[in-house]
Amino acid sequence: MKLQDSVIAITGGGQGLGRAMAEYLAAKGAKLALIDLMEDKLAESVEACKAAGVEAKAYVCNVAKEEDVENTFKAIVDDFGQLNGLINNAGILRDGLMVKYKDGKLEKRMELSQWQSVIDVNLTGVFLCGREAATRMIENGDKGAIINIASISRAGNMGQSNYSAAKAGVSALVPVWAKELARYGIRCMGIAPGFIETEMTASMKPEALEKMTAGIPLKRMGKPEEIASAAAFIFENDYVSGRMIEVDGALRL
Ligand SMILES: NC(=O)c1ccc[n+]([C@@H]2O[C@H](COP(=O)([O-])OP(=O)(O)OC[C@H]3O[C@@H](n4cnc5c(N)ncnc54)[C@H](O)[C@@H]3O)[C@@H](O)[C@H]2O)c1
């Protein structure tokens, strides 16, 4: 698929990896429909894309809310007249051990609300946006691709019951959707990033960052553009589908 003049929706497009992917695809001539909860951040991302000379629009939407998602994808097709791709990127962290004991006494457990909030956004949100994007693409006769952003944590990371389960879930959806949607000319791929330099990692203590980086075989964190270039490759190569691309500097949990 040619990125030039194609329309790509990105959830969580207000900052971090979502913003980086938006700018990277804009530089390749794609038009961007950016979805996020944060209106001000979305406006900045839209301006950054427009500066590359492409059309871009902001959609304030909670990906975990069915009605929001349905209205948003309808609006995207109404606004742009087509939809060729979706990057399911919006995600949150609510880390904590499932159970934590100290000196034989229970200190803390992962609350059901802590579990549910991550499942709602990182798993249900991906389902809702994937379903809606596929529906709109099929009804409009548009071919393209859906990309689910997972994480190295899909293998199971300590302190991340909720996040690891959601990321394993969105990885499992990749071959399911690739098989189900191939007949409509829609491919589905996943990207599992390792540790990437974003707002999230920038706020970590330098000692913690150093320790983490030392454990990565390539001895550095990934750059947002390195995730964005994997996304561009997926859109541009019409024979990749149903698989995960791991962009993690060879780190294994
Ligand atoms: N940064 C990393 O090192 C890293 C590593 C592996 C995976 N990831 C994954 O990449 C994705 C992006 O991560 P990031 O580091 O850019 O995070 P980030 O927190 O910087 O950005 C996430 C964006 O998603 C938006 N968002 C959150 N909940 C939403 C909701 N309910 N509806 C709509 N938008 C919502 C936020 O407002 C934010 O703009 C996430 O899925 C994350 O799990 C990141």
Side-chain angles (χ1 to χ4, degrees), residues 12-16 18-20 22-23 26 32 34 36 39-51 56:
Q15 67 172 37
R19 162 97 55 101
E23 289 188 34
L32 280 309
L34 302 180
D36 208 295
E39 201 171 356
D40 49 340
K41 293 275 183 185
L42 265 181
E44 289 173 22
S45 292
V46 163
E47 282 317 307
C49 292
K50 283 185 175 167

Side-chain angles (χ1 to χ4, degrees), residues 11-19 21 35-38 41 61-64 88-93 121-122 149-153 163 167 191-201 221:
T11 68
Q15 67 172 37
L17 297 184
R19 162 97 55 101
M21 292 190 284
I35 299 166
D36 208 295
L37 286 172
M38 301 192 291
K41 293 275 183 185
C61 160
N62 181 347
V63 297
N88 262 319
N89 163 78
I92 58 169
L93 288 169
V121 177
N122 297 15
I149 303 296
S151 162
I152 191 169
S153 297
Y163 188 81
K167 293 302 188 182
I191 299 174
F195 292 108
I196 312 299
E197 286 170 6
T198 59
E199 282 90 340
M200 192 186 80
T201 41
M221 284 197 287

Side-chain angles (χ1 to χ4, degrees), residues 16-249:
L17 297 184
R19 162 97 55 101
M21 292 190 284
E23 289 188 34
Y24 194 96
L25 298 179
K28 284 182 163 275
K31 300 175 185 174
L32 280 309
L34 302 180
I35 299 166
D36 208 295
L37 286 172
M38 301 192 291
E39 201 171 356
D40 49 340
K41 293 275 183 185
L42 265 181
E44 289 173 22
S45 292
V46 163
E47 282 317 307
C49 292
K50 283 185 175 167
V54 299
E55 216 180 304
K57 280 194 158 58
Y59 300 87
V60 177
C61 160
N62 181 347
V63 297
K65 292 227 161 86
E66 187 175 30
E67 205 188 336
D68 261 27
V69 174
E70 286 174 351
N71 292 338
T72 295
F73 280 87
K74 185 180 179 306
I76 291 171
V77 176
D78 286 348
D79 290 344
F80 288 92
Q82 67 189 82
L83 179 64
N84 309 101
L86 161 69
I87 306 181
N88 262 319
N89 163 78
I92 58 169
L93 288 169
R94 298 285 183 272
D95 292 355
L97 294 173
M98 182 173 69
V99 287
K100 188 177 179 190
Y101 279 81
K102 200 174 177 194
D103 303 326
K105 276 183 80 177
L106 179 64
E107 238 183 24
K108 229 177 169 187
R109 302 202 302 173
M110 180 175 280
E111 301 292 337
L112 178 58
S113 59
Q114 199 178 348
W115 163 269
Q116 198 60 51
S117 57
V118 172
I119 296 298
D120 285 350
V121 177
N122 297 15
L123 181 57
T124 307
V126 167
F127 164 70
L128 290 174
C129 292
R131 187 186 66 175
E132 221 43 47
T135 307
R136 294 286 147 207
M137 288 167 76
I138 293 165
E139 294 205 352
N140 212 41
D142 296 331
K143 298 185 183 346
I146 296 174
I147 301 176
N148 289 350
I149 303 296
S151 162
I152 191 169
S153 297
R154 74 197 182 107
N157 198 20
M158 193 165 159
Q160 293 192 317
S161 293
N162 46 8
Y163 188 81
S164 293
K167 293 302 188 182
V170 304
S171 305
L173 292 175
V174 167
V176 175
W177 291 352
K179 289 170 192 165
E180 291 185 1
L181 301 176
R183 74 196 66 183
Y184 307 106
I186 301 170
R187 297 176 291 108
C188 183
M189 287 287 287
I191 299 174
F195 292 108
I196 312 299
E197 286 170 6
T198 59
E199 282 90 340
M200 192 186 80
T201 41
S203 65
M204 285 171 74
K205 287 190 186 132
E207 313 86 77
L209 265 181
E210 223 169 86
K211 201 172 157 200
M212 192 182 78
T213 309
I216 303 171
L218 283 179
K219 300 295 175 207
R220 67 169 178 87
M221 284 197 287
K223 298 186 187 312
E225 309 83 75
E226 289 166 330
I227 302 303
S229 76
F233 162 75
I234 290 169
F235 285 125
E236 288 176 336
N237 187 319
D238 288 322
Y239 202 55
V240 295
S241 195
R243 301 284 180 265
M244 300 296 297
I245 297 181
E246 303 184 86
V247 187
D248 54 20

